[in-house]
Amino acid sequence: MLGTLGANGDHESAAQAVAKLSLGWPQHLKGAQTALGRELLRTDGDLGQIDYARVRSESDRNRHDYYNARLSASVLGVHRPFTATVVATVQRQQPVDPGDLIGLCEKQLVGLQRVYPGLKSATGEEFANALVERGVLSPRADERYEVAIPSMAQWLAGLVPRPPTESGGRD
């Protein structure tokens, strides 16, 4: 690809750097390649002038935008920290079948529906189904659920609200 684009420099190193940013996922490779392409435009095709920190930053933004899109247009996007909390609970408790996942979601929803009107009509079943249908969770062979994409689990973990410190403030 870099040769076809007429990029000058070490194609192999650039390709390896971008492949590493993909974290092994084709969609992330696309985002990393897009970021590299923007840098190639900035440097007039000179790979030696590429700012890989800029490529990494844009690649991360592209990945996070992709994750946000998975949550959007569904009950999962109403309150992302809530969705992240549910996913963290799933990771800890590892529900063993769809019924357990629905029960876990229902329990989590009860307290939050008073605070977030967009969740008022959501049921545990709707929320659990959205987690699977939007590719956030996937069932394993033993029917336990896991986050479908490891880097998405890390991104979601960053959205989980942290409890206040002893002084009453947040870290």
Side-chain angles (χ1 to χ4, degrees):
M1 176 185 86
L2 294 171
T4 302
L5 293 173
N8 300 314
D10 185 354
H11 293 185
E12 182 67 27
S13 292
Q16 287 177 3
V18 169
K20 186 175 180 181
L21 293 174
S22 77
L23 305 175
W25 293 86
Q27 184 65 32
H28 301 334
L29 179 59
K30 177 188 175 291
Q33 288 173 331
T34 299
L36 178 62
R38 288 191 207 291
E39 270 297 283
L40 284 169
L41 288 171
R42 188 185 67 78
T43 66
D44 198 29
D46 185 353
L47 287 167
Q49 299 300 312
I50 296 293
D51 180 347
Y52 282 98
R54 183 181 278 182
V55 173
R56 183 181 316 104
S57 178
E58 183 177 337
S59 178
D60 289 348
R61 255 190 331 276
N62 290 340
R63 187 172 53 257
H64 298 165
D65 289 348
Y66 174 72
Y67 296 151
N68 268 312
R70 282 187 166 219
L71 301 184
S72 295
S74 78
V75 69
L76 304 178
V78 172
H79 184 60
R80 284 171 173 77
F82 172 73
T83 298
T85 300
V86 170
V87 170
T89 304
V90 167
Q91 288 181 289
R92 277 193 315 277
Q93 295 183 6
Q94 296 189 341
V96 296
D97 61 32
D100 283 348
L101 178 61
I102 291 167
L104 182 150
C105 291
E106 190 68 43
K107 183 177 177 184
Q108 296 288 318
L109 278 167
V110 168
L112 206 66
Q113 286 175 329
R114 292 184 303 271
V115 180
Y116 296 99
L119 292 171
K120 281 197 185 294
S121 63
T123 66
E125 183 174 8
E126 178 185 16
F127 203 87
N129 288 340
L131 286 168
V132 175
E133 289 167 4
R134 302 296 292 183
V136 177
L137 297 179
S138 62
R140 301 185 319 205
D142 65 2
E143 294 190 2
R144 292 185 185 275
Y145 289 87
E146 64 186 355
V147 180
I149 304 170
S151 59
M152 186 177 208
Q154 292 174 341
W155 174 76
L156 284 165
L159 299 178
V160 174
R162 295 189 308 178
T165 61
E166 284 185 31
S167 64
R170 295 202 180 263
D171 290 336

